[in-house]
């Protein structure tokens, strides 16, 4: 077996690991349905377990929406703010939504972050995917725990939420019927599964997840 040259080995090692999160699901439903369920704040919080409340604040001149968000953990409510901007791109009807968010809550495991959604039409529905990255919270402890625990939990929560959205858009099964505690109950019932989602783009290359962010992300970051 031929050995890798020192130069090629060094080149691979010099490439920093892409820690940005990626989640993709296929939804067999019209794009307009997926768009409505994800862009409307009241619908968004019903399927996305990363939020319990999204409160619109104001709309900017460019159409970007400023908002406040909350995540109720029972003993504590994490609060933060963000900006999102949806757009239509491409001749095939692709759409995107860019997002930046931040929080001053010291108990939040996520600090400032940025990400995007892509809605890619297919013959039988939509490829719905996200890429996002963030600065870990919790100071030095958070930076240690993030690659070991936090990112895995955040990815799972995102993927599980995406499958709840899929069940809602495809079969009309409302998210309240696929909450986490219902999934623990015995019997035959609809269940959301994070493992139904992709954790990496279908073609693995040196292309990084955030390289696919739409230009609108830079617009709302400026």
């Amino acid at each position: 077996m031929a050995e890798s040259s020192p130069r090629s080995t060094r080149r691979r090692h010099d490439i920093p690991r892409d820690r940005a999160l990626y989640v993709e699901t296929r939804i067999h439903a019209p794009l307009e349905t997926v768009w409505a369920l994800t862009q409307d704040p009241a619908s968004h919080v019903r399927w996305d377990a990363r939020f319990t409340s999204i409160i619109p604040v104001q709309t900017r001149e460019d159409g970007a929406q400023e908002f406040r968000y909350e995540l109720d953990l029972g003993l504590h409510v994490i609060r933060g703010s963000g900006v999102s901007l949806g757009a239509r791109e491409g001749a095939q009807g692709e759409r995107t939504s860019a997002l930046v968010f931040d929080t001053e809550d010291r108990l939040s495991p996520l600090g400032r972050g940025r990400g995007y959604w892509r809605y890619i039409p297919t013959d039988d529905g939509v490829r719905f995917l996200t890429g996002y990255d963030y600065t870990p919270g919790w100071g030095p402890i958070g930076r240690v725990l993030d690659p070991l625990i936090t990112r895995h939990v955040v990815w799972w929560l995102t993927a599980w939420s995406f499958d709840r959205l899929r069940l809602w858009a495809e079969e009309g099964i409302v998210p309240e019927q696929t909450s986490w505690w219902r999934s623990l109950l015995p019997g035959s019932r609809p269940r959301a599964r994070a493992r139904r989602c992709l954790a990496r783009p279908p073609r693995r290359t040196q292309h990084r997840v955030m390289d696919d962010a739409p230009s609108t992300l830079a617009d709302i970051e400026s």
Side-chain angles (χ1 to χ4, degrees), residues 6 9 35 39 43 59 61 65 70 72-73 75 80 82 111 118 121 154 163 170 172 183 190 207 211:
T9 301
W35 181 261
Q39 292 296 312
S43 299
T59 302
E61 292 184 359
Q65 178 68 62
E70 296 180 352
D72 189 347
L73 301 176
L75 297 177
R118 284 195 175 276
V154 174
D163 203 45
E170 287 184 356
S183 67
H207 198 67
D211 290 342

Side-chain angles (χ1 to χ4, degrees), residues 76-153:
H76 178 71
V77 178
I78 295 174
R79 294 181 172 87
S81 61
V83 181
S84 65
L85 178 59
R88 290 169 170 79
E89 296 184 354
Q92 303 303 317
E94 179 178 340
R95 300 186 189 183
T96 64
S97 184
L99 166 74
V100 294
F101 61 90
D102 202 358
T103 179
E104 296 181 356
D105 192 325
R106 293 184 178 181
L107 295 182
S108 173
L110 277 63
R112 181 172 178 79
R114 57 198 294 270
Y116 62 90
W117 286 341
R118 284 195 175 276
Y119 308 71
I120 304 172
T122 65
D123 291 338
D124 58 356
V126 184
R127 281 180 63 204
F128 181 56
L129 60 92
T130 185
Y132 66 104
D133 202 359
Y134 60 86
T135 302
W138 299 345
I141 294 177
R143 290 192 291 273
V144 172
L145 293 178
D146 186 68
L148 300 176
I149 300 175
T150 308
R151 277 185 194 259
H152 297 284
V153 173

Side-chain angles (χ1 to χ4, degrees), residues 27-30 33-34 36-48 160-178 190-192:
I27 301 178
H28 302 296
T33 298
V34 180
L37 295 180
T38 55
Q39 292 296 312
D40 172 53
S43 299
H44 183 180
V45 297
R46 291 178 64 186
W47 61 263
D48 196 336
W160 181 75
S161 296
F162 269 38
D163 203 45
R164 294 177 83 196
L165 169 66
R166 181 190 64 80
L167 290 169
W168 195 7
E170 287 184 356
E171 304 180 35
I173 301 171
V174 295
E176 290 76 14
Q177 293 181 348
T178 54
R191 301 176 192 273

